Amino acid sequence: MGNLRKSWMVWALVGSLVAALSAIVLQDDVREKLGSNYYIISLAIIGCVLLVLSGYLWDVTILQRVRALGNQAKAVQSEDDYGALSADTVASEDIGHDEIIGLARQIERMARSLQRVEASYRGIVEDQFDLICRYRPDFTLIFVNGAYCRFFARKRTELLGQPFSGQATSERLPWKDDPAAQTYEQEIKGANGTTWLQWIVREIHDENHGVVEYQAVGHDITARKMAEVVLLRAKDAAEAANRAKGEFFAIVSHEIRNPISGVIGFAEILSDTKLDAEQREYVTLIRNSGDSLLFLINDILDFSKIEAGKIELENEPYSPRTCIQEVIAFFAPKATLSGLTLDTLISPEVPETVVGDVYRLRQILINLVGNAVKFTRAGTVAIHLTQLPISDNSAAIDLKFSIVDTGSGMSSEQVARLFRPYVQAEASTTRKFGGTGLGLDICKRLTEMMGGKISVESDVGKGSTFSFTIRVGGGRQLSA
């Protein structure tokens, strides 16, 4: 209504001026009476009309721009979390006060809203324990929070304008795949010790995507670093203790093996002398006990060497058939006493000679065949040997050995416990049959060192099949 009244007043004034001008122009006697003043008065009236019209048009244009600016301010305010229209805003719009005054009030409300947002943001930043700051590309600080001031024990006014102190002591890395953010660690040495900070630096861009400043957040990771140092020291100590244990086992086993070998040697010499039946039985017990103890010591020695990484495989030609025959011959007396049958099944495609470590292969076979003979009460223990196809064109070949027995077999739970050091299928096994539980773990590690793997299949009441593969160099084929 105010704008409409203003328009009517302006047009009434223009109409009055035009009417006065028309009255002067149309009456000739007025022109004669006024003389030269006639033209002055006419031009003055015309100038007033033009001045009023131009002022009106200028006022309308200004009001349109003010309305547009006010609409933009309202749109921005409606997007602000704190920008809900207050009661005085609605009243001012209903009454229709001047647009300029309304715009001024709108700008005032936006300023108060921005102040509340800034105060809330500053409160959040100040309450953080992390160091937060902003600096220009020349590393000049333009903002620091309270934690930053407390960490460096300086006032905010002393820090602003000073260089940013977060110089990297480690490589800068991308932060969460964000190209505008980087993270790095800083080591700060002081009178109270060393402090570690992890900085996350983010670029702040302008509308032209140029870097205008950086925002940095520093998190104290001293506790984590100290824990890492403690863990590293504990790891080194554990590794040193493990090496010392292995060396101790190796030394003790070697020192014990020498006198045991002497006892076994003298028992053999004594068995060749003239003895009665009771004396020969005692000598046989001495020899068997010595063999068992020597076998146990060899397992401990091999296990300690494997853990210390001191076993080196030989690479010499040998006959797989001869190796199997030697193992069968070694267990033949014990199998005969137990009423077992030892058998072999070798595929014809297996080469007559291959290149590898026959000593370690024999050790694996003795362990597996020895277990089969030990845990099989009746039936057969057999060694199967086949050659596996190989995909590449190398000269190496894969041999698969399978030790099949007709023993009592094992359950799935017992199978899951195999191939672990000091573990046997049953807790009662050690008490009944003896042993340390190292044999299968040694077989597993030796097999892996020879480029293969070991597995087992077993059925309760039907028997077990231990299979392993090794990679050997190709050799001469068996002649037809």
Side-chain angles (χ1 to χ4, degrees):
M1 292 297 294
N3 293 332
L4 185 60
R5 288 194 300 268
K6 185 189 298 183
S7 300
W8 280 108
M9 291 175 62
V10 170
W11 287 111
L13 179 59
V14 171
S16 300
L17 292 174
V18 170
L21 181 61
S22 300
I24 295 174
V25 173
L26 294 177
Q27 295 181 13
D28 295 336
D29 55 345
V30 175
R31 184 188 307 173
E32 293 175 355
K33 291 179 180 180
L34 294 177
S36 60
N37 292 330
Y38 168 79
Y39 297 101
I40 296 174
I41 294 173
S42 299
L43 291 175
I45 293 173
I46 294 172
C48 289
V49 172
L50 295 176
L51 182 60
V52 171
L53 291 176
S54 61
Y56 176 73
L57 294 175
W58 181 80
D59 185 58
V60 171
T61 303
I62 291 298
L63 289 179
Q64 290 177 350
R65 294 181 179 179
V66 169
R67 290 193 186 99
L69 185 59
N71 292 332
Q72 293 179 1
K74 290 179 181 179
V76 173
Q77 187 181 23
S78 64
E79 295 175 357
D80 190 358
D81 293 339
Y82 301 93
L85 292 176
S86 58
D88 58 341
T89 305
V90 177
S92 64
E93 290 179 353
D94 292 340
I95 297 173
H97 288 174
D98 186 82
E99 282 84 352
I100 296 178
I101 297 176
L103 178 62
R105 292 179 178 177
Q106 191 78 9
I107 293 174
E108 183 181 0
R109 286 191 295 271
M110 291 178 62
R112 289 198 300 266
S113 177
L114 289 175
Q115 289 176 355
R116 289 194 297 269
V117 173
E118 182 181 0
S120 176
Y121 170 76
R122 186 177 294 275
I124 294 174
V125 172
E126 291 296 331
D127 291 340
Q128 297 297 313
F129 291 101
D130 291 339
L131 283 63
I132 302 176
C133 66
R134 284 197 174 193
Y135 59 89
R136 296 191 180 95
D138 61 353
F139 294 97
T140 301
L141 289 171
I142 58 177
F143 169 79
V144 293
N145 70 338
Y148 194 101
C149 299
R150 290 190 296 271
F151 182 83
F152 291 100
R154 298 179 65 182
K155 296 181 179 179
R156 196 187 308 269
T157 55
E158 297 175 352
L159 291 170
L160 296 181
Q162 298 297 318
F164 173 56
S165 60
Q167 303 299 322
T169 56
S170 63
E171 182 182 0
R172 291 176 177 259
L173 300 174
W175 175 252
K176 294 183 178 180
D177 298 328
D178 187 353
Q182 293 179 330
T183 181
Y184 58 88
E185 296 177 355
Q186 178 191 16
E187 181 183 10
I188 302 175
K189 295 183 178 180
N192 298 326
T194 301
T195 302
W196 282 90
L197 295 177
Q198 181 185 23
W199 288 99
I200 301 173
V201 180
R202 184 177 299 276
E203 300 174 353
I204 307 299
H205 301 91
D206 56 13
E207 61 275 6
N208 298 322
H209 303 287
V211 179
V212 293
E213 60 186 45
Y214 295 89
Q215 176 175 290
V217 178
H219 181 67
D220 192 342
I221 58 172
T222 305
R224 191 190 77 186
K225 283 290 186 179
M226 294 176 62
E228 290 177 355
V229 172
V230 172
L231 289 176
L232 183 60
R233 291 175 179 174
K235 176 177 175 293
D236 294 340
E239 291 178 350
N242 191 44
R243 288 192 299 269
K245 180 191 70 174
E247 293 175 358
F248 173 78
F249 279 157
I251 294 174
V252 171
S253 300
H254 181 74
E255 294 299 326
I256 296 177
R257 186 169 58 176
N258 289 336
I260 289 299
S261 299
V263 171
I264 295 174
F266 280 109
E268 291 180 353
I269 295 174
L270 186 60
S271 63
D272 294 334
T273 62
K274 187 177 180 180
L275 301 173
D276 57 29
E278 184 178 3
Q279 291 174 337
R280 188 168 300 278
E281 181 181 359
Y282 293 157
V283 171
T284 302
L285 290 175
I286 294 174
R287 182 176 178 180
N288 292 338
S289 300
D291 290 337
S292 299
L293 185 57
L294 183 61
F295 189 79
L296 174 62
I297 293 173
N298 287 335
D299 277 351
I300 296 176
L301 183 60
D302 288 338
F303 183 76
S304 61
K305 285 183 178 180
I306 291 174
E307 281 201 329
K310 294 182 178 180
I311 285 187
E312 296 182 0
L313 298 178
E314 296 181 357
N315 199 26
E316 300 292 337
Y318 68 91
S319 171
R321 289 174 171 81
T322 302
C323 180
I324 292 177
Q325 292 170 0
E326 291 174 351
V327 172
I328 293 295
F330 179 78
F331 286 102
K334 186 174 183 180
T336 301
L337 292 176
S338 302
L340 300 177
T341 301
L342 298 181
D343 195 7
T344 61
L345 179 61
I346 302 176
S347 299
E349 69 270 13
V350 175
E352 182 180 359
T353 59
V354 295
V355 178
D357 194 331
V358 65
Y359 173 76
R360 296 302 173 184
L361 173 60
R362 186 184 299 112
Q363 183 177 0
I364 296 173
L365 289 174
I366 288 176
N367 265 296
L368 297 180
V369 175
N371 286 339
V373 172
K374 182 191 301 183
F375 297 108
T376 302
R377 297 181 179 179
T380 304
V381 174
I383 303 178
H384 297 176
L385 173 59
T386 57
Q387 179 179 335
L388 300 178
I390 193 167
S391 57
D392 52 19
N393 296 325
S394 64
I397 60 175
D398 289 337
L399 298 180
K400 179 180 180 181
F401 296 81
S402 298
I403 291 81
V404 183
D405 65 64
T406 58
S408 58
M410 295 176 291
S411 64
S412 57
E413 292 78 8
Q414 293 173 333
V415 171
R417 292 196 296 266
L418 297 179
F419 306 111
R420 299 178 186 176
Y422 313 108
V423 175
Q424 292 186 337
E426 292 184 1
S428 60
T429 300
T430 302
R431 296 190 297 268
K432 185 176 181 180
F433 296 99
T436 60
L438 294 176
L440 289 180
D441 184 66
I442 293 174
C443 291
K444 177 177 179 294
R445 300 195 187 197
L446 289 177
T447 301
E448 292 172 350
M449 291 177 62
M450 299 170 73
K453 58 183 180 179
I454 190 170
S455 61
V456 59
E457 297 177 359
S458 184
D459 292 328
V460 177
K462 296 182 180 180
S464 304
T465 300
F466 284 82
S467 301
F468 69 94
T469 60
I470 60 172
R471 177 157 292 190
V472 297
R476 182 164 53 88
Q477 294 287 341
L478 183 65
S479 57

